Amino acid sequence: RDSGISPKRLFLAGFSQGGAVVYHTAYLRWNEALGGVIALSTYAPTFENVNQLSPVQAQTPALCMHGSNDPVVPFAMGQAAQQQLASWGVPVTWQDYPMQHEVCQQQIADISHWLSKQLQ
């Protein structure tokens, strides 16, 4: 920001526990514009006691991705985070893949496509 990069071009991304940190930071702690959030195979343990987001937080788009066979972070926990974001009015995109607690090539391509759209 200090070097002239707009916060709307900054994205927070995290996998597993890192995704939980990203959710918390972007939607509960940071109250300025962001380009978006990329949350991979994660959950949102700190969303439970929050009723609403600030208007700026609610405008931060999210890309939520999860493996349908994830034995580490259950699929339902990933879906619950996505559904909570949607209930707050966050522009959220959900994608799931037939994989476990990992990242696949299709997912990387989908991230690239989503980022390209957000940066237009």
Side-chain angles (χ1 to χ4, degrees):
R1 201 169 50 178
D2 292 342
S3 62
I5 298 172
S6 168
K8 290 184 178 184
R9 296 186 62 82
L10 299 176
F11 292 80
L12 301 182
F15 178 85
S16 196
Q17 186 62 35
V21 171
V22 164
Y23 275 149
H24 181 80
T25 302
Y27 295 108
L28 305 183
R29 302 293 293 172
W30 187 257
N31 201 19
E32 293 182 45
L34 279 174
V37 165
I38 301 169
L40 311 174
S41 299
T42 192
Y43 64 112
T46 59
F47 281 5
E48 291 178 6
N49 298 317
V50 178
N51 294 322
Q52 67 182 27
L53 302 180
S54 75
V56 172
Q57 291 165 326
Q59 291 176 16
T60 301
L63 175 61
C64 306
M65 303 173 130
H66 212 100
S68 57
N69 304 313
D70 190 333
V72 177
V73 178
F75 188 75
M77 290 175 73
Q79 285 183 313
Q82 177 267 328
Q83 291 166 356
Q84 183 62 59
L85 290 170
S87 77
W88 287 328
V90 171
V92 61
T93 301
W94 172 264
Q95 301 244 188
D96 55 76
Y97 304 86
M99 63 181 189
Q100 294 190 14
H101 196 66
E102 58 194 311
V103 176
C104 67
Q105 283 299 112
Q106 182 60 54
Q107 188 176 21
I108 293 168
D110 293 341
I111 290 168
S112 176
H113 178 73
W114 185 83
L115 274 173
S116 294
K117 285 177 42 179
Q118 300 307 311
L119 290 169
Q120 290 180 354

